[in-house]
Amino acid sequence: MRIRSCTIWLVLALLPACEHEARVHAFGGPAMGSTWEVKFVGDVPEARVRAAVEAELASFDQTFSNWREDSEIARCNRHRSTEPFAASARFLAVLQQALDVAAATEGAFDPTVKPLSDLYRKAQRDPQHRFDEGAAAAARERVGWQNVEVREGAVHKRRPDVELDLDGLVAGACVDAIGTQLDALGVPAFYLQVTGEVYCRGEKAPGVPWLIGVVDPASDGTGAEQAIRSLPLRDQALCTSGVTRNALLANGRAMHHIFDPRTGSSACRGVVSVSVVADSAALADALGTAFLVLGDEATSRLLPSLRQLATLHGLGQPGVLFLLAGEDGSLREVEFAWPIRSRRSE
């Protein structure tokens, strides 16, 4: 399953090791066009943890990959009909999460954005990066989260040519699912990362938290990333959406992979990246995309609706950190309910 040619926007900061720090098991691999990684402590055999993680990754790939013809989402997209499409409980649950976020963000996040995303990927593959504006206008007519509904164990399309792309929260949902499996195995503390979306449980040693950093977009993208903010993360997710590392010059103007579904154009509000801390990685993942589209001012206006959304899913209020581009090329930080234990990295 390939979600994006993703650069990991979150870094695991290093803390001094304690004399009696428990052994941290660590392993990972490729996933969704990027990577996954697990670090955990405890007595559960590493082979059992790895098996559980790889089983969830395989299940998500089979369900949500837009890069394989036999995935459930591919079959749903080929279902060019307004008749119900019977779907798995996992597919319906993730789609419903996406629709809830779409409603709370006035359509800034939209699971029906696939026709626009496909045109961007086509422009990426074109040596001259030509973006078909006419096709984009036609594609925009097929985008609208209100055109799909989850009801009675099935997906219902209001127009037959609606196509779903859940990449905006699938990695986060996968992280949540893996976390549930590790909890069931009795793993007391762990760090999970899938395509850069992170969730941490407990501490890696008594008094030693998992310290996670938000990458400074101005830092080197060749492996020397620096954190602009860092914070100890416990029983929460931290997800970041950004535009600088998946962009191109098409038709003489800058474009990136995150579209405003309401206009059909790449989101352009001076936002370089948005980081979200939340109890759920799926929610943090989706909100990061939505906030990048909305910008900081519209996000501020919608905060009451977002609190209601979190409460609907039994979650606490999310925290948000915007990095905005200044006219002089500097970065300006704007935050809403960002954890007070967060600190600027030197």
Side-chain angles (χ1 to χ4, degrees):
M1 177 177 184
R2 179 167 48 178
I3 284 187
R4 57 180 78 88
S5 53
C6 174
T7 299
I8 297 175
W9 279 86
L10 302 172
V11 294
L12 182 63
L14 298 178
L15 292 176
C18 295
E19 181 181 354
H20 303 293
E21 187 171 325
R23 178 193 172 194
V24 177
H25 304 263
F27 52 90
M32 303 183 186
S34 183
T35 64
W36 63 272
E37 185 180 16
V38 173
K39 298 176 185 287
F40 77 95
V41 298
D43 298 328
V44 180
E46 184 174 312
R48 291 187 64 193
V49 176
R50 179 185 284 272
V53 172
E54 291 180 344
E56 287 297 329
L57 288 167
S59 176
F60 268 77
D61 187 65
Q62 180 65 59
T63 305
F64 297 108
S65 176
N66 276 312
W67 301 92
R68 52 187 296 175
E69 293 297 318
D70 62 340
S71 69
E72 189 169 5
I73 196 168
R75 290 188 285 108
C76 182
N77 287 336
R78 288 196 300 270
H79 181 74
R80 297 296 180 112
S81 170
T82 57
E83 292 297 312
F85 175 82
S88 67
R90 166 163 285 172
F91 188 91
L92 296 175
V94 172
L95 176 56
Q96 186 60 63
Q97 282 182 297
L99 293 172
D100 290 343
V101 174
T105 61
E106 298 179 346
F109 182 90
D110 194 320
T112 69
V113 76
K114 186 176 188 296
L116 293 170
S117 299
D118 285 347
L119 289 173
Y120 182 82
R121 295 180 183 120
K122 183 178 180 181
Q124 281 184 311
R125 295 190 298 268
D126 184 342
Q128 297 182 0
H129 296 319
R130 289 166 297 196
F131 184 80
D132 191 334
E133 301 286 355
R140 173 64 189 85
E141 297 300 315
R142 298 166 53 201
V143 174
W145 65 273
Q146 300 94 336
N147 288 322
V148 65
E149 181 182 10
V150 172
R151 179 164 43 88
E152 298 172 348
V155 178
H156 295 257
K157 299 180 181 181
R158 291 191 173 91
R159 52 181 294 168
D161 57 354
V162 167
E163 292 185 293
L164 300 174
D165 185 339
L166 296 171
D167 286 356
L169 82 165
V170 162
C174 185
V175 167
D176 288 338
I178 292 172
T180 298
Q181 291 300 317
L182 298 195
D183 286 338
L185 288 175
V187 178
F190 51 81
Y191 156 90
L192 303 175
Q193 177 270 119
V194 178
T195 77
E197 319 305 351
V198 169
Y199 183 90
C200 295
R201 170 80 76 218
E203 298 178 316
K204 63 179 179 180
V208 183
W210 304 102
L211 187 64
I212 310 300
V214 176
V215 168
D216 182 349
S219 66
D220 185 4
T222 62
E225 292 91 351
Q226 301 295 318
I228 197 168
R229 286 285 190 100
S230 59
L231 71 159
L233 203 63
R234 178 170 184 166
D235 302 339
Q236 284 190 309
L238 175 56
C239 301
T240 296
S241 295
V243 302
T244 60
R245 297 176 186 177
N246 193 350
L248 55 83
L249 189 65
N251 303 352
R253 60 187 176 89
M255 296 185 66
H256 57 77
H257 66 299
I258 298 180
F259 282 82
D260 185 337
R262 304 163 301 180
T263 65
S265 300
S266 288
C268 183
R269 299 188 185 278
V271 181
V272 178
S273 73
V274 184
S275 299
V276 180
V277 174
D279 297 337
S280 156
L283 181 63
D285 197 3
L287 287 180
T289 299
F291 294 161
L292 194 147
V293 170
L294 288 166
D296 58 313
E297 293 183 3
T299 294
S300 177
R301 177 176 59 80
L302 290 176
L303 285 178
S305 297
L306 300 171
R307 282 192 283 270
Q308 292 176 11
L309 171 67
T311 301
L312 174 67
H313 290 279
L315 306 171
Q317 179 182 358
V320 189
L321 173 66
F322 280 87
L323 297 182
L324 304 171
E327 293 183 1
D328 60 354
S330 63
L331 288 176
R332 181 167 60 93
E333 299 176 24
V334 175
E335 60 185 65
F336 304 105
W338 190 253
I340 59 173
R341 294 185 66 195
S342 170
R343 69 186 189 206
R344 282 191 62 86
S345 297
E346 300 299 331

